[in-house]
């Protein structure tokens, strides 16, 4: 049913109001999902812990401090120290900052690449779509972890390099999601009308296809961030991630594994729990967003 435009209002007012109403409804649905709200709270707390925490709890994470090696948790060192004397709580903040920066940046990069690839493939159709999606299918058949291990064995990536590598091995799934959304949107009246009046393909994609796929893109980005954090942990656990003195939670797990056999539990449990908690939180947020944007589930 077409919207009625009242006198004195711009033609786009009804559409804008409808979009705003849909956004408010999605927000209410998201807030009713308790696990998603808890996940969002966990992410906010972890971000504050990793980025604001060092301003309150300052530690030396660069120099070796042999006089305080492998100390148990105490009032001086709340989570003890590691094999080179670094305060483990400060290390958890420092490593978490690296894990979150790499995970967020790589997840967003993967989503951007996948979104553009999927939108072009779905909109173009025909043999272009067939070729582009066969490339995606071939990439999905190769485990991302295997590609990461090969690349990391050939070269030692820095922080930027790790983000780029993760982004370029993780864009395949978002591309399929956006392509499916594009296939359903490109035959809508507003896209066909734009084409009929001479609108360009790029305008159709950027002004209509992508804005109307934003819910799919946001949900895909959330899951990609969780996957990227896990991939960073995998690679760093195998010793192929960021190099010392830098570290991340996966690197902390790898460094603490041998020490755990000596009873130094504080070197492995905190980073392990941090990885599990953050990955769960982003997945919970993704589930909540997916349910909130699901039009079929709205009542």
């Amino acid at each position: 049913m077409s919207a009625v435009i009242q006198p004195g209002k711009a033609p786009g007012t009804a559409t804008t109001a409808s979009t705003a109403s849909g956004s408010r409804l999605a927000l209410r649905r998201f807030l009713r999902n308790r696990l998603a709200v808890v996940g969002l709270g966990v992410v906010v707390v972890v971000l504050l812990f990793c980025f604001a925490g060092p301003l309150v709890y300052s530690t030396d994470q660069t120099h070796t401090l042999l006089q305080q090696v492998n100390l148990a948790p105490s009032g001086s060192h709340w989570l003890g120290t590691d094999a080179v004397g670094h305060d483990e709580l400060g290390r958890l903040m420092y490593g978490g900052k690296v894990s979150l920066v790499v995970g967020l940046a790589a997840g967003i990069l993967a989503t951007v690449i996948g979104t553009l690839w999927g939108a072009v493939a779905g909109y173009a159709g025909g043999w272009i779509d067939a070729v582009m999606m066969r490339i995606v299918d071939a990439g999905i058949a190769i485990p991302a972890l295997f590609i990461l291990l090969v690349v990391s064995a050939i070269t030692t990536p820095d922080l930027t390099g790790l983000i780029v590598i993760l982004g370029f091995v993780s864009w395949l799934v978002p591309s399929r999601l956006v392509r499916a959304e594009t296939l359903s949107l490109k035959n809508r009246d507003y896209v066909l009308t734009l084409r009929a009046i001479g609108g360009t393909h790029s305008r159709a994609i950027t002004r209509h296809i992508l804005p109307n796929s934003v819910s799919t893109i946001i949900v895909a980005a959330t899951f990609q961030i969780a996957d990227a954090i896990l991939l960073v942990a995998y690679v760093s656990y195998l010793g192929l991630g960021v190099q010392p003195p830098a570290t991340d939670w996966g690197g902390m797990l790898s460094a603490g594994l041998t020490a755990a056999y000596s009873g130094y539990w504080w070197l492995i449990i905190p980073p392990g729990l941090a990885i599990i908690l953050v990955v769960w939180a982003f997945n919970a947020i993704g589930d909540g967003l997916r349910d909130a944007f699901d039009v079929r589930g709205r009542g």
Side-chain angles (χ1 to χ4, degrees):
M1 182 173 62
S2 59
V4 177
I5 302 175
Q6 299 178 3
K9 291 187 177 181
T13 302
T15 302
T16 303
S18 177
T19 302
S21 177
S23 299
R24 288 194 294 268
L25 177 59
L27 178 60
R28 287 198 297 269
R29 286 175 58 83
F30 178 83
L31 294 177
R32 286 201 298 265
N33 189 320
R34 294 182 180 179
L35 286 179
V37 173
V38 171
L40 180 61
V42 168
V43 170
V44 171
V45 170
V46 171
L47 286 172
L48 291 174
F49 172 77
C50 294
F51 289 90
L55 301 177
V56 179
Y57 190 81
S58 179
T59 59
D60 185 354
Q61 297 295 324
T62 304
H63 301 94
T64 300
L65 305 171
L66 296 179
Q67 70 274 19
Q68 54 182 41
V69 170
N70 291 329
L71 297 179
S74 64
S76 300
H77 304 281
W78 292 3
L79 289 180
T81 62
D82 63 11
V84 292
H86 293 151
D87 183 274
E88 189 71 1
L89 180 58
R91 199 74 172 161
L92 197 65
M93 297 175 184
Y94 182 75
K97 185 186 299 184
V98 174
S99 293
L100 291 171
V101 167
V102 174
L104 288 166
I108 293 172
L109 177 60
T111 304
V112 170
I113 297 172
T115 296
L116 295 177
W117 187 279
V120 171
Y123 185 81
W127 68 269
I128 296 177
D129 178 38
V131 171
M132 293 179 71
M133 296 317 294
R134 294 300 77 74
I135 294 174
V136 171
D137 292 339
I140 290 177
I142 305 174
L145 183 58
F146 174 77
I147 300 175
L148 281 171
L149 291 177
V150 171
V151 174
S152 298
I154 295 173
T155 179
T156 302
D158 57 6
L159 198 63
T160 302
L162 193 57
I163 292 171
V164 172
I165 293 171
L166 284 170
F168 275 89
V169 301
S170 305
W171 61 271
L172 303 169
V173 173
S175 70
R176 299 185 71 171
L177 296 174
V178 174
R179 171 186 176 267
E181 191 74 14
T182 302
L183 289 174
S184 68
L185 291 173
K186 71 176 184 178
N187 293 320
R188 299 287 177 88
D189 290 342
Y190 47 81
V191 177
L192 296 177
T193 301
L194 177 65
R195 294 289 306 278
I197 63 176
T200 62
H201 298 309
S202 60
R203 183 178 179 84
I205 292 175
T206 57
R207 294 295 299 273
H208 294 293
I209 301 295
L210 293 182
N212 285 284
S213 302
V214 66
S215 60
T216 299
I217 295 170
I218 291 174
V219 173
T222 306
F223 288 119
Q224 285 305 307
I225 291 170
D227 291 343
I229 292 174
L230 269 181
L231 285 173
V232 173
Y234 291 154
V235 175
S236 298
Y237 179 79
L238 296 174
L240 300 174
V242 293
Q243 299 303 305
T247 190
D248 56 58
W249 288 334
M252 292 176 66
L253 272 178
S254 179
L257 183 61
T258 55
Y261 293 113
S262 301
Y264 305 142
W265 56 267
W266 56 88
L267 299 181
I268 190 169
I269 291 180
L273 289 177
I275 294 172
I276 294 172
L277 190 62
V278 169
V279 171
W280 170 84
F282 276 108
N283 281 324
I285 293 172
D287 287 335
L289 289 172
R290 181 177 56 197
D291 293 341
F293 287 119
D294 185 5
V295 178
R296 293 168 299 181
R298 294 178 183 175

